[in-house]
Amino acid sequence: MLRRIKSERPRAGLVESVAGWSARNRTAAIAAWLLLVVVAVLSTSLLPGGQVRSTEPGEAGRGQRMVSAQDAGDSIRENVMIRAGAGRAPETRRAVTNDLVAALRAIPDAVRDVGSPLGAHGGRWVSGDGTADLVTFEIAGPGAEFDTHRQTAFDAVEKVARQHPEARLDQAGDSSLASAVDQGIKDDMKRAETTSLPLTVVILLVVFGSLVAAGIPLLLSATAVAAAFGLLDTLGRWVPFNSAASAIVLLIGMAVGIDYSLFHLRRVREERAAGRGVQEALRIASRTSGHAVVVSGLTVMVCMTGLLFTGVDVFKGLTLGTVLVVGLAVLGSVTVLPALVAALGDRIDLGRIPWLGRRRTAAGRSRIWTAVARRVVRRPVLTGGTAALLLAVMALPAFGMHLQDATQIQSLPRGVSAAADAGARMQQVFPGVATPARVVVSDNGPKARAAADALHEQAARSKGALREPITMVPVGDLLVVRVPLAGAGTDPESARALEFLRERAVPATVGAVEGAEVAVAGRTATPYDFTRQVNARTPVVFAFVLVLAFVLLVVAFRSLALPLVSIALNLLSIGAAYGVLVAVFQGGRLESLLDFNAYGGVVSWLPLFMFVILFGLSMDYHIFILSRIRERWAGSRGGPDGGHEAIVGGIAVSAGVVTSAAAIMVGVFSVFTTLSAIEYKMLGTGMAVAILIDATVVRGVLLPAALALLGERAWTLPGRGGSAALRTRDKDTHAYESSTARA
């Protein structure tokens, strides 16, 4: 007869109750999860309508909305630069120009408004050194026939190029550059999917040591990501979500889904190794690791909502996608995961990998991190100070960070896209032609056209800020004027040229047309306005994230000192990641290794996004480790020795799983560094470095050092007796669990 257990079971929390129900009703829980995924995936076919498009902030966004409101479509202009081979006479180049202009004018249904050195003011279409001609043309609509007209025009250019092998024709413009970037994003998505999955499987097999155990986190994260994308397709009718955010949501979903499963499964294995049954192990795991998963998931989601304060459309879809995929991962980890574990029982370790499987299923303490933690708590000032100094030195380059977006030409490395390479060559000879400013005027009458003609005079007096050829075309009721700007497109020189255009040239010309609304948009204006708005709202986002994280940690751990230390450690690790980002990409280090073109800046949206997402993701490890330390601290007798042993013990049992989770996240985000777009390379490098620092230096050294220095104050809520109450409550829990284990 079993000995009577005198300790009363602690009252079950919400997470424990939900997980317990799922474990007891495993069939219903698994079926409900699968139904949710299927409904989410199919939901997009149940509602009519298309996806809403995002609009840019500021004046550039206003110009974009003015054009989008027209039924006539948009102005799509292409440019072809013609240069003769070495030693060829100018007559050869002009002969090619004649043939190209004739070929384009022979297809009037597909092409309109051909500009060249052969027309009026032809000198505007000749390079300053007289070695290159430029031919520009509009691809005609309507929208239904645009693709056909585009291909017809491109075929005409290609035919002339084949007829004149002695000359070089470089084509770059609205359609060709946009297609190159879009194709790059599609290729990046495929590469991310095909690379991240095998890499994740390998890491999971190493972490779990068995095929079945490794398959559970993969199944959970894959279904959560599928459901999130299904819901995004549906909600995309109201919230803009672009393809560039898809790769980010995909990899974040895979990373957090696997992490949450890993935390839960590791605790189940630990309790099973201690002699507890499956149901009891699941109960304890859901009360501890499950609770930590919910808190960390909520922190990620709450932090992500801080991006909404920017008021930028593209962040709305990214926020929604991240919140959905993280929320589904949390939901799955406390519902379908316990059901699967309960259904499998001991069969969860089937398919063990020889030698490795025997070690991984033991779920023991980490010897390395135990030794590190012991040394840290013995000399917290020396070890913690050294680690903090190291991260501070790494963060120093961040103070020289220059926010600047890459142009379409700069975004892709050389050799990836013929259009981007052609655009780079064209930029050197005809600056600003491939990506000009677009002056949108709400009047295309004679007065507006005469005013637009005056921009040529403004360009001549701009000291090189405004370039030629300036062109204009009607778009519905609008007039769209293209003005090439000096500089690379997004650098300070281009910004000064844009300011000259907006503040002096436009007000003196088309801005003076009575009753006309004017907006300057384009590839320079869009990132310019975007950066200004993001910079203006960044303090609000930072304050929101810091305050919310502080409140969540106070509620979770009933302490004031601990949240303050946690925030300081997170800021230190993020600062170090910023420093690496600036040194590598802005400084051009590792340019050949990572295959990118340094342009002297960091993408404007990246630091803010990294701050928000890293602040949330770092809480995964932080809350998990702190929960394990608090368990041991509450069961200790107090005093420095008891506190130090609690820190060492908590680090020892949690560091292994945190290292494994970090390896998965670092591996997943490292996939970004293999993609073509420089924005993805920056994101992947910054995130991987930050997570690596966070899981090793911060959680392995700085956190135990800070806890050792704080002592009892780490777990005390001033004036509320929080320390004693917490210790008494958790002692009762430990007493019950010890009794059940002995029974």
Side-chain angles (χ1 to χ4, degrees), residues 405-612:
D405 286 347
T407 64
Q408 288 177 307
I409 297 170
Q410 295 167 335
S411 177
L412 301 175
R414 297 289 181 265
V416 171
S417 166
D421 291 348
R425 292 188 291 269
M426 190 178 296
Q427 177 66 25
Q428 295 176 350
V429 183
F430 293 98
V433 165
T435 55
R438 289 159 51 96
V439 181
V440 183
V441 187
S442 62
D443 183 354
N444 66 0
K447 291 184 178 180
R449 287 175 174 271
D453 276 333
L455 283 170
H456 295 290
E457 183 180 349
Q458 291 290 326
R461 296 187 301 185
S462 69
K463 298 181 180 180
L466 309 185
R467 302 298 183 95
E468 293 284 1
I470 296 173
T471 61
M472 68 179 84
V473 292
V475 177
D477 298 328
L478 306 177
L479 184 68
V480 175
V481 185
R482 294 172 179 272
V483 183
L485 302 178
T490 58
D491 60 351
E493 185 180 3
S494 295
R496 289 190 294 269
L498 175 67
E499 291 167 357
F500 179 88
L501 178 63
R502 282 179 166 177
E503 297 169 9
R504 297 180 59 182
V506 165
T509 56
V510 290
V513 177
E514 185 178 357
E517 181 183 359
V518 182
V520 179
R523 298 293 180 180
T524 298
T526 295
Y528 179 88
D529 292 345
F530 181 95
T531 302
R532 291 188 65 181
Q533 178 153 336
V534 168
N535 287 344
R537 304 287 179 87
T538 291
V540 178
V541 178
F542 273 53
F544 173 82
V545 171
L546 293 176
V547 170
L548 262 294
F550 177 79
V551 171
L552 284 172
L553 287 171
V554 168
V555 173
F557 292 101
R558 295 176 176 83
S559 167
L560 291 180
L562 202 57
L564 292 174
V565 168
S566 303
I567 288 173
L569 296 182
N570 281 352
L571 291 176
L572 195 57
S573 64
I574 292 172
Y578 282 172
V580 172
L581 200 64
V582 171
V584 171
F585 289 95
Q586 185 173 310
R589 296 174 177 85
L590 305 182
E591 189 174 15
S592 59
L593 179 63
L594 296 179
D595 190 23
F596 68 91
N597 305 314
Y599 61 90
V602 174
V603 177
S604 60
W605 58 267
L606 187 58
L608 182 62
F609 174 79
M610 279 182 58
F611 172 80
V612 171

Side-chain angles (χ1 to χ4, degrees), residues 253-324:
M254 293 294 292
V256 299
I258 290 171
D259 268 13
Y260 296 159
S261 302
L262 183 59
F263 293 158
H264 216 126
L265 287 174
R266 175 64 182 234
R267 188 57 185 262
V268 171
R269 278 184 164 180
E270 188 178 326
E271 298 304 327
R272 291 284 288 142
R276 294 184 174 89
V278 174
Q279 293 292 335
E280 187 65 15
L282 280 170
R283 188 192 65 78
I284 296 173
S286 61
R287 185 182 58 80
T288 54
S289 296
H291 177 75
V293 163
V294 171
V295 173
S296 62
L298 287 174
T299 305
V300 173
M301 290 187 284
V302 169
C303 287
M304 281 301 300
T305 59
L307 289 176
L308 299 178
F309 287 101
T310 62
V312 177
D313 262 10
V314 69
F315 280 153
K316 294 178 183 178
L318 186 57
T319 299
L320 176 63
T322 305
V323 168
L324 279 175

Side-chain angles (χ1 to χ4, degrees), residues 17-206:
S17 299
V18 172
W21 181 90
S22 298
R24 293 189 301 272
N25 302 274
R26 60 200 71 166
T27 302
I30 295 172
W33 175 257
L34 293 177
L35 180 62
L36 171 64
V37 173
V38 170
V39 170
V41 171
L42 297 179
S43 61
T44 185
S45 61
L46 302 178
L47 294 175
Q51 303 291 304
V52 63
R53 293 182 60 185
S54 62
T55 57
E56 302 295 341
E59 185 177 338
R62 181 159 56 85
Q64 178 187 347
R65 289 190 293 273
M66 289 170 64
V67 174
S68 299
Q70 299 294 309
D71 295 332
D74 196 357
S75 166
I76 306 297
R77 197 167 193 86
E78 286 292 311
N79 314 280
V80 181
M81 182 176 67
I82 304 166
R83 290 184 292 182
R88 300 287 181 176
E91 290 78 9
T92 301
R93 187 184 72 247
R94 190 52 50 88
V96 178
T97 302
N98 286 334
D99 288 349
L100 179 59
V101 171
L104 293 172
R105 287 176 175 169
I107 48 173
D109 291 338
V111 168
R112 62 179 178 135
D113 193 45
V114 178
S116 74
L118 308 180
H121 306 288
R124 297 169 182 171
W125 277 265
V126 180
S127 64
D129 59 3
T131 62
D133 288 354
L134 185 71
V135 175
T136 66
F137 59 91
E138 290 275 325
I139 301 177
E145 300 177 8
F146 174 82
D147 290 339
T148 302
H149 292 167
R150 174 184 182 273
Q151 191 59 50
T152 301
F154 283 24
D155 289 344
V157 175
E158 181 63 26
K159 182 178 180 181
V160 173
R162 289 195 305 268
Q163 291 173 345
H164 295 277
E166 73 279 7
R168 180 166 194 166
L169 279 68
D170 288 314
Q171 180 179 344
D174 294 339
S175 182
S176 53
L177 287 175
S179 297
V181 173
D182 290 344
Q183 188 60 46
I185 292 174
K186 292 178 182 178
D187 293 342
D188 283 345
M189 280 291 292
K190 292 178 181 177
R191 193 179 301 121
E193 293 170 358
T194 56
T195 306
S196 62
L197 185 58
L199 179 63
T200 302
V201 170
V202 170
I203 297 176
L204 283 173
L205 289 174
V206 173

Side-chain angles (χ1 to χ4, degrees), residues 376-378 380 644 647 703-711:
V376 170
V377 297
R378 286 173 186 168
H644 288 178
I647 294 171
L703 178 59
L707 293 177
L709 289 173
L710 286 173

